[in-house]
Amino acid sequence: MRDDGQMPRVDLFDLDHAPITVQDYFTVGDPGPIVAALAAVPELMAPTLGFIGAALGPGSIGVRYKEFAILRTSVLQGCSYCIHAHTTVSLDAGLSNLEIRALRGEVALEVGFPLDDERALIGWIDALAGATGPIPDDVWHAAQRYWPQHSLVELTVTVGATMFLNRFATGFQLPTAPHVTERLVAAGMA
Amino acid sequence: MSDTIVSTGTIAAAVQSGELPARVWMYSNYHCNLACSYCLTESSPRSERRQLTAEQMIAVAEQARELGFTALGITGGEPFLLPWLPETVLAMAEHLPLVLLTNGTLFAGDRIERAAALAHPDVALQISLDSHLPDVNDMARGPDNFAKVVEAVPRLLARGVRVRIATTTGGPLDSPALSPLQHLVASLGVAEADHLIRPIVRRGRADEFGLGVQAVARDIPCELTITGDGAFWGSFGPTVRSGRLDTDLLLTRTILPLAVPANALLGVLRGMPEGTDARLGIR
């Protein structure tokens, strides 16, 4: 999960070099490497961040389950940048260290999540992000048993948006922010 | 940017009202047979070409007319290094009138006939000449530049090509020291209204050498500018320094359909406070 000191493969724009159409994103401080990389194609900034914000931000399903989707998907996709970032977001969302370790695959899921409904939800996430091809009916039926369809639709959009971010961050070797690393070390989750 | 997506009729209305400048510029290429000291794009024979294709340039011209723009400009680099330039310019002029910027040094001998093909009522060549003193002019623009230009201008005019002269100066735009140059330009047969005098803008190589006026976005004339690297705020936007393209005035990487960058430019203009238009005489 470590960045191994890799350098980003693309330019990370700063305020001096940010295109005029996206400079507002840079005037309030460092917007982070995803925005800094996206600035290379300014016309994609607003629609991409709009989609990402809606897909990963607060929704009807609640931040706890959003973080299930984001952190678990990032683990399955092997994205160190997103695992680091969303380990800290998951802590902020109130997930326990044990739950986060379970989502990160460091302890058994059953240990971290004793409730059937939450394991069914994670099963759906695993089938979406951790495999290709059709998803078995039993996974769908288990999820649908506990969760309304609109929640599964929302969560599936979150998984898809996360997979985009995973490949974006991994492909371009985006660096984990120092404050995230410090937080992970302090929490014993680095 | 979704709030900036507007109909093509809106672009036409914005052009008609003066809200959106009427000319669309294109950088046909970035390489050049010269290497002027104040060049905004660090152009030289070794520069990366960053070229538009003929098909792209004609499509920009056609779509510019459809959107409601009323004029075109072509600059570089030296556009006449492109073998297909004259016929492409004529195809573009079928859509909108245009001005073509050139250093005027590639018209010696029989080569004048390539440019003579551009004797068209909607095409003007704009040639750079910076001083009435050959050595002063050539110090910035390269050996024999002065002689080539003063030879080419009357020959072009004699062939029915409209010629404008552009003078780039590091001094005041109304300096009496420019008077002999103005007389020289008139003696070549160029109308006074076709002689532009403009300051060096401190971008590109001029920035490297500390030349010219400092300019921020609101000082730089806003005219939608299309390059192989994307669309920019103005023709002084897609500059190059130390080999790297300046991106601070980049609007979009998408250049076609032209409505995409046109809408982005209008969106930026509408987000700027009133009174932030150009005041440095840059043109």
Side-chain angles (χ1 to χ4, degrees):
Chain A
M1 262 186 286
R2 294 184 184 281
D3 290 333
D4 296 327
Q6 291 177 317
M7 294 295 291
R9 286 181 164 140
V10 293
D11 290 335
L12 301 181
F13 287 68
D14 57 18
L15 179 59
D16 287 342
H17 298 95
I20 189 168
T21 38
V22 297
Q23 283 170 2
D24 285 353
Y25 294 93
F26 293 81
T27 53
V28 291
D30 180 2
I34 291 171
V35 168
L38 267 174
V41 190
E43 63 269 43
L44 289 182
M45 184 81 86
T48 302
L49 295 184
F51 172 62
I52 294 299
L56 272 64
S60 71
I61 198 170
V63 292
R64 174 176 172 83
Y65 301 120
K66 287 268 180 161
E67 287 308 315
F68 278 25
I70 300 165
L71 183 55
R72 186 68 172 174
T73 298
S74 301
V75 170
L76 293 167
Q77 292 290 316
C79 177
S80 60
Y81 176 89
C82 294
I83 294 168
H84 292 155
H86 278 275
T87 292
T88 66
V89 177
S90 294
L91 287 167
D92 292 339
L95 273 70
S96 69
N97 280 27
L98 181 63
E99 288 172 331
I100 290 170
R101 290 193 183 284
L103 289 171
R104 290 179 15 161
E106 295 163 11
V107 299
L109 268 182
E110 293 73 14
V111 174
F113 299 98
L115 300 177
D116 289 343
D117 59 344
E118 292 193 339
R119 278 206 311 279
L121 197 65
I122 295 166
W124 178 245
I125 296 165
D126 285 4
L128 288 168
T132 57
I135 293 175
D137 283 341
D138 63 322
V139 176
W140 168 245
H141 291 314
Q144 207 181 21
R145 180 176 176 196
Y146 297 104
W147 301 91
Q149 282 197 9
H150 70 82
S151 295
L152 294 173
V153 169
E154 184 178 337
L155 198 82
T156 302
V157 171
T158 305
V159 169
T162 303
M163 290 173 74
F164 154 67
L165 281 177
N166 293 155
R167 302 316 288 163
F168 190 86
T170 300
F172 296 136
Q173 297 180 177
L174 300 186
T176 297
H179 73 272
V180 171
T181 303
E182 290 166 14
R183 179 95 187 275
L184 294 173
V185 170
M189 307 283 281
Chain B
M1 213 181 302
S2 57
D3 58 338
T4 68
I5 299 299
V6 290
S7 71
T8 55
T10 304
I11 296 293
V15 171
Q16 283 166 13
S17 70
E19 183 183 16
L20 193 60
R23 188 185 302 275
V24 176
W25 282 95
M26 279 163 263
Y27 273 73
S28 56
N29 58 305
Y30 273 64
H31 62 303
C32 186
N33 56 315
L34 305 181
C36 302
S37 60
Y38 55 74
C39 184
L40 295 168
T41 52
E42 293 187 339
S43 290
S44 76
R46 294 176 304 282
S47 294
E48 192 179 337
R49 294 192 172 197
R50 304 178 186 275
Q51 204 167 305
L52 288 169
T53 67
E55 292 74 19
Q56 286 173 319
M57 293 177 71
I58 294 168
V60 168
E62 181 178 10
Q63 293 180 26
R65 175 180 52 78
E66 291 169 352
L67 286 170
F69 291 98
T70 59
L72 301 172
I74 302 171
T75 187
E78 172 48 49
F80 275 95
L81 289 176
L82 302 173
W84 42 261
L85 183 84
E87 58 267 32
T88 302
V89 166
L90 291 174
M92 295 167 71
E94 293 301 308
H95 297 288
L96 288 173
L98 65 86
V99 59
L100 170 59
L101 276 56
T102 171
N103 58 42
T105 62
L106 296 174
F107 305 142
D110 292 345
R111 289 194 291 177
I112 194 82
E113 302 309 333
R114 269 188 90 216
L118 297 178
H120 184 288
D122 285 332
V123 176
L125 298 194
Q126 181 173 309
I127 300 177
S128 300
L129 187 65
D130 292 342
S131 174
H132 66 292
L133 302 170
D135 53 342
V136 174
N137 179 83
D138 294 354
M139 190 163 48
R141 301 190 56 77
D144 300 327
N145 176 271
F146 181 91
K148 289 175 181 174
V149 170
V150 297
E151 181 197 346
V153 171
R155 295 176 74 206
L156 290 166
L157 291 168
R159 285 162 174 78
V161 179
R162 184 179 168 201
V163 176
R164 297 170 21 161
I165 296 291
T167 296
T168 307
T169 177
L173 300 183
D174 57 354
S175 169
L178 290 168
S179 211
L181 175 61
Q182 289 165 319
H183 289 305
L184 170 64
V185 169
S187 74
L188 295 174
V190 176
E192 186 178 350
D194 281 338
H195 184 194
L196 309 179
I197 300 174
R198 57 193 184 178
I200 297 172
V201 179
R202 191 174 293 183
R203 289 174 69 87
R205 191 180 286 137
D207 185 38
E208 199 177 321
F209 291 105
L211 300 171
V213 294
Q214 291 273 19
V216 295
R218 63 179 174 274
D219 299 319
I220 291 175
C222 166
E223 288 181 310
L224 181 59
T225 299
I226 305 301
T227 77
D229 293 300
F232 288 77
W233 161 268
S235 60
F236 293 83
T239 47
V240 174
R241 70 189 81 193
S242 303
R244 178 176 167 156
L245 179 74
D246 289 323
T247 49
D248 56 331
L249 295 173
L250 175 67
L251 294 169
T252 62
R253 295 290 186 182
T254 303
I255 56 174
L256 292 168
L258 193 65
V260 172
N263 284 325
L265 178 57
L266 189 56
V268 174
L269 281 169
R270 288 180 171 172
M272 293 184 82
E274 283 187 38
T276 52
D277 33 7
R279 280 165 292 178
L280 295 179
I282 302 166
R283 54 183 175 158

